[in-house]
Amino acid sequence: MAETKIEWTDATWNPTTGCDRVSPGCDHCYALTMAKRLKGMGSAKYQGDGDPTTSGPGFLATEHADTLAAPLHWRKPRKVFVNSMSDTFHDRISNGFLADMFAIMAITPQHTYQLLTKRHARMHAVVNRPEFWTQVGRQARHFGYHYENAANYLRGGQNIYDTNEWKQRRHLDNVWLGTSVENQQWANIRIPALLDTPAAVRFLSCEPLLGPVDLAKWIGCGDPLHRHHGPCSAYREIESLDWVIVGGESGHRARPMHPAWARELRDQAVRAGIPFLFKQWGEWGPAPWVVRVCDPAVGWQGTADELAAAQADAEARGATHAYAEWAHEYDHDLYEPPHKPWSIERVEPLDDRQAPMRRWGKAAAGRELDGREWNEFPAVTS
């Protein structure tokens, strides 16, 4: 187990490592960068090199059987992000190894496991196969026999040694399945597969959010009439999203996230009664377009030195760029205005679809959206 600062989980567990880029959200993959560094440090798990066109040094998708049993030794319940350095459903990970992972999760019901994938099709194919669950049950019995501290019962009292019970099983109560959605194109592709896959909780990670995403067709808010009669959760279909995570991109090559995209997803989730978690702004965040140093009608009344200090403060806090809602269609180009963010100099206005932005860095940009943090989680089955 590795403790983590990821805002939506408590710890990570990596029985697999390595991956390949499959969509624009992967372009600046943090795990790929970290794997290269770990390979250079001699870490045994990161010595296989992936395809240089889609992966990289130390990032070959690899199974690590020696880490499978780790959760059996964690007594304190926690939320566990499974394979933060990989994609669980990568095609190099065998069905047998997937069954081993699910078996370990089955016999440790005190933990809540969060699986996040961009391989929606394989997730759907594997988890919907009855033969897969028969194999999970067989491996759960195997691990249960060999580890004294393994839990013998699933939530609800089902015995892991009951073969018939496994023939009927289609999900685990302590396993959440999620998919990454960076824009509308990938929402349209991945969400239907997620919603057609049995899971205790189905969630979205819209990080890095690279464009607007409309979830109406998947959260029961598509009918405009619903918006006039309170939260549309009353109109949701049974198979619906259970959690939405939103975050901007971090790192030196980060693409900005327009504030309107985050707000729209937040508002959709709130209307639908779905928990919403705002993870981060990322490298870029909102900033004032104008930082007033004096009343423009009166002008500056202090000394030249005081004015210089006030202007320097304004420049340190104000926006350096403007980012349009449609910028994702044009390589995320930012507009850099010619004037400083001082009320006595900046004269060009922004229209409603442009947002003033600044490259604050992840820590300084923070996690507040419209003046507060959003840290909502689905209810954990007990």
Side-chain angles (χ1 to χ4, degrees):
M1 176 195 69
E3 300 294 339
T4 180
K5 295 182 179 179
I6 297 173
E7 289 78 1
W8 48 266
T9 195
D10 300 320
T12 60
W13 172 45
N14 282 288
T16 73
T17 57
C19 199
D20 289 87
R21 295 186 291 269
V22 294
S23 66
C26 304
D27 287 352
H28 305 149
C29 177
Y30 76 91
L32 174 58
T33 301
M34 188 178 298
K36 181 179 180 180
R37 183 165 65 250
L38 290 169
K39 175 183 171 69
M41 295 168 60
S43 176
K45 294 175 71 172
Y46 299 93
Q47 295 307 306
D49 294 343
D51 184 336
T53 62
T54 57
S55 183
F59 211 49
L60 179 69
T62 307
E63 301 171 358
H64 301 286
D66 58 327
T67 66
L68 272 174
L72 299 175
H73 308 290
W74 307 338
R75 296 187 179 277
K76 180 181 177 182
R78 66 201 73 198
K79 294 187 294 292
V80 182
F81 179 13
V82 180
N83 293 320
S84 62
M85 292 293 292
S86 181
D87 189 316
T88 298
F89 294 98
H90 192 285
D91 58 10
R92 282 183 54 88
I93 308 305
S94 68
N95 285 353
F97 198 76
L98 288 174
D100 287 345
M101 283 189 279
F102 273 75
I104 292 294
M105 293 186 283
I107 61 176
T108 52
Q110 71 271 30
H111 304 310
T112 298
Y113 294 93
Q114 300 158 311
L115 278 68
L116 182 62
T117 185
K118 290 185 175 74
R119 271 75 176 179
H120 56 283
R122 186 163 186 230
M123 172 188 67
H124 179 268
V126 169
V127 177
N128 278 291
R129 288 177 59 245
E131 297 83 1
F132 173 72
W133 290 103
T134 299
Q135 190 173 10
V136 171
R138 183 166 57 247
Q139 292 305 101
R141 292 191 295 275
H142 167 77
F143 288 123
Y145 286 137
H146 287 83
Y147 292 93
E148 291 182 2
N149 66 333
N152 289 336
Y153 294 90
L154 297 171
R155 289 195 175 102
Q158 298 99 331
N159 194 321
I160 65 168
Y161 305 111
D162 185 345
T163 303
N164 290 327
E165 193 276 330
W166 282 106
K167 289 180 179 179
Q168 304 301 318
R169 180 161 288 279
R170 293 297 177 268
H171 77 278
L172 298 175
D173 291 343
N174 63 328
V175 174
W176 300 359
L177 296 181
T179 193
S180 296
V181 167
E182 60 261 51
N183 56 31
Q184 192 68 51
Q185 175 189 357
W186 288 101
N188 294 342
I189 293 170
R190 291 176 179 147
I191 294 176
L194 174 66
L195 293 184
D196 196 41
T197 304
V201 167
R202 300 179 184 90
F203 69 97
L204 294 186
S205 174
C206 304
E207 182 196 3
L209 184 59
L210 302 178
V213 176
D214 183 358
L215 300 177
K217 68 176 71 174
W218 301 293
I219 58 177
C221 296
D223 185 346
L225 290 176
H226 294 174
R227 301 192 182 109
H228 301 288
H229 298 281
C232 62
S233 55
Y235 302 91
R236 288 169 57 191
E237 299 293 334
I238 293 175
E239 305 299 338
S240 180
L241 297 170
D242 301 301
W243 191 26
V244 176
I245 302 168
V246 169
E249 191 168 41
S250 55
H252 71 281
R253 294 184 295 168
R255 295 155 287 187
M257 173 178 64
H258 196 286
W261 304 340
R263 291 189 180 106
E264 288 164 5
L265 280 167
R266 186 266 320 272
D267 293 346
Q268 291 176 66
V270 169
R271 284 198 303 268
I274 295 172
F276 175 80
L277 189 145
F278 186 67
K279 182 175 178 287
Q280 63 183 36
W281 282 106
E283 190 72 12
W284 293 85
W289 185 244
V290 172
V291 180
R292 176 162 289 188
V293 297
C294 68
D295 183 344
V298 176
W300 183 257
Q301 301 297 306
T303 67
D305 287 344
E306 290 171 337
L307 174 60
Q311 290 175 335
D313 175 69
E315 188 172 353
R317 294 188 292 117
T320 57
H321 294 75
Y323 190 60
E325 281 191 67
W326 59 87
H328 62 289
E329 300 174 4
Y330 301 96
D331 297 322
H332 298 274
D333 289 337
L334 289 146
Y335 165 64
E336 188 170 2
H339 298 101
K340 303 292 185 182
W342 312 328
S343 64
I344 56 176
E345 287 195 23
R346 179 165 280 180
V347 293
E348 65 275 29
L350 291 182
D351 65 39
D352 291 341
R353 298 187 65 193
Q354 292 180 304
M357 306 288 286
R358 185 182 184 94
R359 190 172 196 135
W360 296 103
K362 176 182 173 180
R367 300 187 56 232
E368 289 192 357
L369 175 61
D370 292 334
R372 57 160 285 193
E373 291 187 359
W374 297 79
N375 294 309
E376 299 172 350
F377 286 84
V380 177
T381 305
S382 58

Short mmCIF file of all heavy atoms in Angstrom, two decimals, residues 6 24 76 84 95 119 129 155 158 180 252 268 361-362 370:
data_model
loop_
_atom_site.label_atom_id
_atom_site.label_comp_id
_atom_site.label_asym_id
_atom_site.label_seq_id
_atom_site.Cartn_x
_atom_site.Cartn_y
_atom_site.Cartn_z
N ILE A 6 -3.92 11.99 -3.46
CA ILE A 6 -5.04 12.09 -4.40
C ILE A 6 -6.31 12.35 -3.60
O ILE A 6 -6.63 11.61 -2.66
CB ILE A 6 -5.17 10.82 -5.25
CG1 ILE A 6 -3.91 10.64 -6.11
CG2 ILE A 6 -6.41 10.88 -6.13
CD1 ILE A 6 -3.87 9.32 -6.86
N PRO A 24 -6.73 11.84 -26.01
CA PRO A 24 -6.05 13.10 -25.66
C PRO A 24 -5.80 13.30 -24.18
O PRO A 24 -4.84 13.97 -23.79
CB PRO A 24 -7.01 14.17 -26.20
CG PRO A 24 -7.72 13.51 -27.32
CD PRO A 24 -7.90 12.09 -26.89
N LYS A 76 -7.08 -1.55 8.73
CA LYS A 76 -7.91 -0.35 8.78
C LYS A 76 -8.64 -0.15 7.46
O LYS A 76 -8.02 -0.12 6.40
CB LYS A 76 -7.03 0.87 9.07
CG LYS A 76 -7.80 2.18 9.15
CD LYS A 76 -6.86 3.34 9.41
CE LYS A 76 -7.62 4.67 9.41
NZ LYS A 76 -6.70 5.82 9.62
N SER A 84 -3.06 2.91 -9.90
CA SER A 84 -2.86 4.32 -10.20
C SER A 84 -1.74 4.53 -11.21
O SER A 84 -1.64 5.60 -11.82
CB SER A 84 -2.53 5.09 -8.92
OG SER A 84 -1.31 4.62 -8.34
N ASN A 95 -6.86 -12.17 -18.29
CA ASN A 95 -8.11 -12.38 -17.57
C ASN A 95 -7.87 -13.10 -16.25
O ASN A 95 -8.54 -12.84 -15.25
CB ASN A 95 -9.09 -13.19 -18.42
CG ASN A 95 -9.71 -12.35 -19.53
OD1 ASN A 95 -9.51 -11.14 -19.59
ND2 ASN A 95 -10.45 -13.01 -20.41
N ARG A 119 -10.13 1.79 -20.82
CA ARG A 119 -10.43 0.61 -21.66
C ARG A 119 -11.86 0.15 -21.36
O ARG A 119 -12.10 -0.92 -20.80
CB ARG A 119 -9.44 -0.51 -21.37
CG ARG A 119 -8.18 -0.47 -22.22
CD ARG A 119 -7.23 0.60 -21.80
NE ARG A 119 -5.99 0.56 -22.57
CZ ARG A 119 -5.00 1.41 -22.40
NH1 ARG A 119 -5.08 2.37 -21.48
NH2 ARG A 119 -3.90 1.34 -23.15
N ARG A 129 -19.01 -11.25 -18.08
CA ARG A 129 -18.92 -12.68 -18.39
C ARG A 129 -19.14 -13.52 -17.13
O ARG A 129 -18.39 -13.40 -16.16
CB ARG A 129 -17.55 -13.02 -18.97
CG ARG A 129 -17.33 -12.52 -20.39
CD ARG A 129 -15.92 -12.84 -20.87
NE ARG A 129 -15.64 -14.27 -20.83
CZ ARG A 129 -14.73 -14.84 -20.04
NH1 ARG A 129 -14.01 -14.10 -19.21
NH2 ARG A 129 -14.53 -16.13 -20.09
N ARG A 155 -19.78 -8.76 1.98
CA ARG A 155 -20.84 -7.97 2.59
C ARG A 155 -22.18 -8.63 2.27
O ARG A 155 -22.42 -9.10 1.16
CB ARG A 155 -20.82 -6.54 2.03
CG ARG A 155 -19.64 -5.73 2.54
CD ARG A 155 -19.87 -4.26 2.26
NE ARG A 155 -18.80 -3.47 2.84
CZ ARG A 155 -17.79 -2.96 2.15
NH1 ARG A 155 -17.74 -3.15 0.87
NH2 ARG A 155 -16.86 -2.25 2.75
N GLN A 158 -22.61 -13.40 2.28
CA GLN A 158 -22.41 -14.51 1.35
C GLN A 158 -21.06 -15.17 1.61
O GLN A 158 -20.05 -14.50 1.74
CB GLN A 158 -22.46 -14.01 -0.10
CG GLN A 158 -23.80 -13.41 -0.49
CD GLN A 158 -23.77 -11.90 -0.41
OE1 GLN A 158 -23.02 -11.34 0.38
NE2 GLN A 158 -24.58 -11.25 -1.21
N SER A 180 -12.56 7.36 -17.44
CA SER A 180 -12.05 8.72 -17.63
C SER A 180 -12.71 9.34 -18.85
O SER A 180 -12.80 8.72 -19.91
CB SER A 180 -10.53 8.69 -17.83
OG SER A 180 -9.88 8.21 -16.68
N HIS A 252 4.10 20.84 -16.49
CA HIS A 252 4.61 22.01 -17.21
C HIS A 252 3.99 22.17 -18.60
O HIS A 252 4.05 23.26 -19.18
CB HIS A 252 6.14 21.95 -17.30
CG HIS A 252 6.67 20.90 -18.22
ND1 HIS A 252 6.76 19.56 -17.87
CD2 HIS A 252 7.14 20.98 -19.50
CE1 HIS A 252 7.27 18.88 -18.87
NE2 HIS A 252 7.50 19.70 -19.88
N GLN A 268 -24.80 20.13 -13.35
CA GLN A 268 -25.53 18.94 -13.79
C GLN A 268 -25.61 17.91 -12.68
O GLN A 268 -26.66 17.30 -12.44
CB GLN A 268 -24.84 18.33 -15.01
CG GLN A 268 -24.93 19.17 -16.28
CD GLN A 268 -24.13 18.55 -17.42
OE1 GLN A 268 -24.46 17.46 -17.90
NE2 GLN A 268 -23.08 19.22 -17.84
N GLY A 361 0.29 27.37 -10.92
CA GLY A 361 0.84 26.13 -10.38
C GLY A 361 -0.25 25.42 -9.59
O GLY A 361 -1.17 26.05 -9.05
N LYS A 362 -0.17 24.11 -9.51
CA LYS A 362 -1.24 23.31 -8.92
C LYS A 362 -1.59 23.73 -7.50
O LYS A 362 -2.76 23.91 -7.15
CB LYS A 362 -0.85 21.83 -8.95
CG LYS A 362 -1.86 20.92 -8.28
CD LYS A 362 -1.39 19.47 -8.30
CE LYS A 362 -2.32 18.59 -7.47
NZ LYS A 362 -1.89 17.18 -7.48
N ASP A 370 -15.95 28.41 -7.22
CA ASP A 370 -16.94 29.39 -6.78
C ASP A 370 -16.96 29.55 -5.27
O ASP A 370 -18.02 29.53 -4.62
CB ASP A 370 -18.34 29.02 -7.30
CG ASP A 370 -18.44 29.14 -8.82
OD1 ASP A 370 -17.68 29.95 -9.39
OD2 ASP A 370 -19.27 28.44 -9.42
#
